[in-house]
Amino acid sequence: MSGTQEQPTSITYAGAGVDVEAGDRAVELMKGAIKATHNSSVIGGVGGFAGLFDVSFLTGYKKPYLATSTDGVGTKVAIAQKLDIHHTIGQDLVGMVVDDIVVVGAKPLFMTDYIATGKVVPERIADIVRGIAEGCKLAGTALVGGETAEHPGLLAEDEYDVAGAATGVIEADQLLGPERVKAGDVVIGMASSGIHSNGYSLVRRVIAHAKWELDREVAEFGRTLGEELLVPTRIYTSACLDLVGALNDGENFGVHGFSHVTGGGLAANLARVLPQGLMARVDRSTWALPAVFSTIAQLGNVPQPDLERTLNLGVGMVAVVDPAVADRAVELLNAAGMGAWVMGQVENLDPSAADAGLDFVQGAKGVDGGAVLLTGSYAK
């Protein structure tokens, strides 16, 4: 046989679009931020196959319950990607996860994260993780592990998504929830920092319809549209745990429950922490819609029921407390910077309340819980 035989083409992992060295550089850039969340219970450093957490302190519990939650940030990441600003999205992730755990009164102990991207840009990944670490510090939670996966061909080079999970603990007889809520309890709202991390599919559709650009200065916001939309989710964990510590003494419970206002809005989430046979009557006139919500409503001519089923409308967390401690609870939450106020009360279910139509929510999110009736109009 004559002629020169062609050498076979070599196909490498890097040639397939996965840069292992970039992943290693990203880890080096984020190490410091991760270590800053660690406490004496964290075993080992950054980069192990598994995160280790010493739970020997649980031997001091009579009957410890572990609480866990997982979530993501949703399409808010599209705003971060378009603006090329990535250091705030991590706090959103932490807020979505740990504040679901604190609803039952549990203290979040540790968290892990997962980032999938079309191309690992070390600085971008490090920015995301630094935001996660900052959120963990605010929540008093250790960031003990994570994973960054490069998915060329599945995601575009500038695309990514983030998810996370956390684990917390609570003494069994200190668990909060519907079983503790009773007629006469007071409903306290805590202000959101903005849209948080739910409803961005609606928000993005509205601003696209209005042809507003993210760099548009909006007088009502005092900043650009993009800056407003990227305001990170407020983290309520520490304030809620401090409230429980101040008002619950192990036998007497001033705080009966919390509701984290995420997807589904205020009524749907509050209904989940009420027992059957009870109803929370919430007065809209006790707060004004923050500018970002009224602007979205006007730009998209969004019906009020749709707004209330999709966005938090200025209420990020709710506490349900005994009336004897309501004033003290508001005082403590305001001192912690949560912007709290009394927004309603719990009462026996009024069968005629269902006549209020969309203002009445019962059995929300498939949970056989209580009901919520929204009354009045938002303050101006």
Side-chain angles (χ1 to χ4, degrees):
M1 180 179 295
S2 61
T4 303
Q5 187 174 5
E6 292 186 7
Q7 294 297 315
T9 301
S10 295
I11 299 177
T12 65
Y13 206 17
V18 178
D19 187 344
V20 175
E21 291 183 358
D24 292 340
R25 290 197 299 275
V27 171
E28 287 301 317
L29 290 173
M30 66 179 75
K31 270 186 176 180
I34 296 171
K35 286 181 178 179
T37 73
H38 290 182
N39 54 39
S40 58
S41 292
V42 178
I43 308 301
V46 178
F49 281 95
L52 298 174
F53 196 86
D54 181 357
V55 293
S56 56
F57 66 90
L58 293 182
T59 58
Y61 281 63
K62 293 177 293 183
K63 187 177 181 180
Y65 281 176
L66 293 180
T68 186
S69 177
T70 186
D71 209 339
V73 178
T75 62
K76 186 172 185 175
V77 297
I79 306 294
Q81 290 162 13
K82 191 167 184 179
L83 290 172
D84 196 24
I85 297 174
H86 312 284
H87 66 279
T88 62
I89 211 77
Q91 182 172 324
D92 290 292
L93 178 63
V94 177
M96 288 297 98
V97 174
V98 299
D99 282 336
D100 276 359
I101 287 177
V102 81
V103 161
V104 299
K107 174 179 173 54
L109 300 175
F110 55 83
M111 181 167 176
T112 58
D113 65 73
Y114 177 81
I115 304 170
T117 183
K119 179 180 176 59
V120 170
V121 178
E123 294 76 14
R124 182 168 63 206
I125 299 300
D127 276 349
I128 297 169
V129 175
R130 275 195 287 266
I132 296 172
E134 180 59 32
C136 284
K137 286 175 64 178
L138 290 172
T141 306
L143 181 59
V144 299
E147 173 72 10
T148 300
E150 200 166 29
H151 291 167
L154 182 62
L155 295 169
E157 288 193 356
D158 291 332
E159 290 180 342
Y160 62 82
D161 198 11
V162 296
T167 298
V169 65
I170 184 169
E171 189 74 78
D173 62 7
Q174 302 304 303
L175 196 68
L176 305 181
E179 297 77 13
R180 298 202 183 277
V181 176
K182 60 184 186 298
D185 280 355
V186 174
V187 179
I188 297 172
M190 298 177 225
S192 68
S193 57
I195 299 176
H196 285 184
S197 301
N198 296 102
Y200 274 81
S201 294
L202 172 64
V203 171
R204 290 165 52 241
R205 180 68 177 268
V206 167
I207 62 177
H209 171 77
K211 296 182 171 56
W212 277 27
E213 298 296 332
L214 294 176
D215 61 359
R216 180 190 183 107
E217 292 284 345
V218 183
E220 292 85 349
F221 303 162
R223 50 190 160 199
T224 67
L225 174 63
E227 289 169 336
E228 179 68 28
L229 296 183
L230 277 189
V231 171
T233 301
R234 175 167 286 166
I235 294 176
Y236 300 91
T237 296
S238 295
C240 289
L241 291 176
D242 287 347
L243 188 71
V244 170
L247 301 180
N248 295 8
D249 63 10
E251 296 182 359
N252 300 302
F253 289 79
V255 181
H256 295 159
F258 295 104
S259 174
H260 190 199
V261 183
T262 55
L266 171 62
N269 284 289
L270 181 53
R272 299 167 70 186
V273 299
L274 303 176
Q276 287 184 303
L278 293 186
M279 175 180 79
R281 188 182 296 267
V282 174
D283 184 357
R284 297 184 184 97
S285 70
T286 59
W287 81 99
L289 291 184
V292 66
F293 299 107
S294 55
T295 299
I296 293 299
Q298 293 164 11
L299 282 180
N301 193 28
V302 183
Q304 181 169 309
D306 212 59
L307 282 174
E308 292 182 338
R309 285 193 299 258
T310 308
L311 303 172
N312 69 59
L313 298 186
V315 185
M317 181 71 83
V318 174
V320 182
V321 305
D322 188 284
V325 302
D327 290 343
R328 180 61 175 156
V330 170
E331 179 184 348
L332 290 170
L333 290 170
N334 280 327
M338 294 298 105
W341 72 98
V342 172
M343 64 191 316
Q345 66 178 25
V346 178
E347 56 191 54
N348 291 318
L349 180 63
D350 179 0
S352 67
D355 296 335
L358 292 174
D359 293 332
F360 179 79
V361 174
Q362 186 173 25
K365 285 198 172 184
V367 177
D368 293 328
V372 174
L373 176 65
L374 298 173
T375 66
S377 299
Y378 295 105
K380 300 298 184 182

